Amino acid sequence: MSHAVPEIDLVSIYRKLWLIRRVEEEIARIYPSDKIKSPVHLSIGQEAVAVGVCDPLRPDDVVSGTYRSHASYMAKGGDLRALFAELYGKDTGCARGKGGSMHLVDMNRYILGTSAVVGTTVPIAVGYSLVLQREGKGRVAVSFFGDGATEEGVFYESLNFAALHRLPVLFVCENNFLAIHTPIEKRWATRQLCERVRTYGIPAHQVPDSDVLKIRQAAAEAIAAMRSGSGPAFLECHTYRWREHVGPREDYDDGYRSRDELLRWQAMDQVGVIGAKLDPSERASVEAEIEKQIADAVQFAENSPYPEPKALYAHVFAD
């Protein structure tokens, strides 16, 4: 059975890729100044996964991210001012300055709150998808997680529950082959992740080269099918983070990965690949527009107030 897939808008895709790349480069630039008040896990190099998956979503679809969540937050349309203000620990931040980089949320855009604990947002997305199924409006939920999260028991519990109840949830593994500093070959007996997922009766698809258009096509087909009641689906997207696990610097001298790997992935960088497909003047216009948005968001964060001391006692207990 074929399902309708939204048409591709290369300008829109490039706008999201460039936005995420430049925002994270700006975060890396600001971070050493200590104005940013929380650890940051950057997605530089991994932008294609969030963009490819979120591009075919409807505004009322739900996204659940991980602690490396800047990319999915922006790809789903999260408020940029609120993002920077949250990183600065300001009261105008998306979590009122209390959560920082690892706890982004924007329920106006149906972006669920993220968590610093590996794997914990996977069952939350599954629970939300149960609500969407019962609502009956064709909405879907997307759960992003890294390859390390697939080693948590709750991942397999979530797969089983979603398959059992045919829930509208897309599981997206951003496989960058590292759990902090531990390579995948030291953690997985085999790399047959999609095969393991298929044992639950869930269709699984692998995109090995981080091609944003391939990711988008696979996600769009799975999402369209889910809207018709097909049940959950799984995407394993190979990708590569260019910076260290947490923080703004590079780490190729730390002994756990080589710069040769980086160079191979940079040759496939989707920011450059998609940018090259656009008319140069159109590309320049997009980039200039985004630079203005980033400057505005940073200035907003700089000028925003810190939370009042009494905010320490808010949201501690339920009303």
Side-chain angles (χ1 to χ4, degrees):
M1 180 179 179
S2 63
H3 301 276
V5 172
E7 291 186 5
I8 296 172
D9 180 346
L10 284 181
V11 175
S12 175
I13 288 175
Y14 183 70
R15 182 178 288 110
K16 294 172 187 174
L17 288 169
W18 185 252
L19 173 68
I20 297 167
R21 174 65 57 84
R22 285 295 301 121
V23 163
E24 297 227 301
E25 288 177 343
E26 187 69 0
I27 291 169
R29 183 189 70 81
I30 296 170
Y31 194 78
S33 71
D34 201 37
K35 292 179 179 180
I36 292 175
K37 300 301 182 183
S38 76
V40 293
H41 297 74
L42 301 178
S43 293
I44 295 174
Q46 298 190 190
E47 301 91 347
V49 182
V51 172
V53 171
C54 288
D55 190 67
L57 291 176
R58 298 189 331 207
D60 62 345
D61 289 328
V62 174
V63 163
S64 177
T66 70
Y67 52 77
R68 196 181 302 279
S69 61
H70 302 162
S72 59
Y73 177 94
M74 285 184 275
K76 188 56 169 64
D79 185 279
L80 194 59
R81 283 183 161 192
L83 167 61
F84 271 99
E86 188 60 34
L87 297 181
Y88 273 62
K90 298 298 184 70
D91 191 50
T92 53
C94 62
R96 303 296 296 273
K98 292 184 176 183
S101 170
M102 294 185 282
H103 300 92
L104 302 182
V105 59
D106 189 342
M107 288 307 296
N108 291 325
R109 275 81 171 184
Y110 294 101
I111 301 168
L112 302 184
T114 60
S115 169
V117 182
V118 173
T120 53
T121 55
V122 177
I124 293 172
V126 170
Y128 214 104
S129 73
L130 177 60
V131 173
L132 300 182
Q133 182 190 65
R134 293 182 176 182
E135 181 187 64
K137 296 182 179 178
R139 298 166 67 198
V140 305
V142 176
S143 175
F144 290 97
F145 48 88
D147 50 292
T150 69
E151 297 155 27
E152 299 289 334
V154 73
F155 170 66
Y156 297 96
E157 294 168 356
S158 297
L159 290 178
N160 184 64
F161 188 85
L164 181 65
H165 297 282
R166 300 182 63 82
L167 299 180
V169 56
L170 178 61
F171 297 98
V172 180
C173 177
E174 299 185 70
N175 187 352
N176 64 18
F177 315 106
L178 293 166
I180 307 181
H181 302 128
T182 306
I184 202 166
E185 56 268 19
K186 293 185 178 181
R187 297 161 21 231
W188 288 13
T190 77
R191 292 202 182 192
Q192 305 306 314
L193 178 58
C194 285
E195 180 180 318
R196 294 197 287 275
V197 172
R198 291 187 189 109
T199 64
Y200 291 88
I202 297 175
H205 184 80
Q206 183 190 86
V207 181
D209 57 3
S210 205
D211 184 315
V212 67
L213 298 182
K214 292 179 184 176
I215 294 170
R216 185 195 182 277
Q217 181 67 22
E221 290 176 357
I223 290 163
M226 283 191 289
R227 297 199 198 283
S228 301
S230 67
F234 178 86
L235 287 181
E236 180 192 1
C237 302
H238 289 183
T239 189
Y240 199 76
R241 59 172 171 82
W242 296 8
R243 302 294 178 97
E244 59 189 331
H245 168 69
V246 53
R249 69 183 186 95
E250 293 187 345
D251 59 1
Y252 299 97
D253 296 325
D254 290 355
Y256 73 94
R257 61 176 182 165
S258 71
R259 186 170 291 278
D260 288 342
E261 285 183 305
L262 170 68
L263 297 177
R264 288 196 296 272
W265 281 95
Q266 284 183 329
M268 300 183 286
D269 179 29
Q270 294 300 293
V271 175
V273 168
I274 300 300
K277 295 178 183 292
L278 303 184
D279 178 271
S281 63
E282 191 169 40
R283 178 177 179 175
S285 176
V286 167
E287 293 175 0
E289 172 194 338
I290 285 171
E291 292 303 319
K292 290 180 181 178
Q293 292 175 7
I294 294 172
D296 170 76
V298 171
Q299 193 63 48
F300 176 79
E302 294 268 2
N303 295 339
S304 292
Y306 287 105
E308 295 289 337
K310 64 182 180 181
L312 286 171
Y313 304 100
H315 311 116
V316 177
F317 299 104
D319 292 333

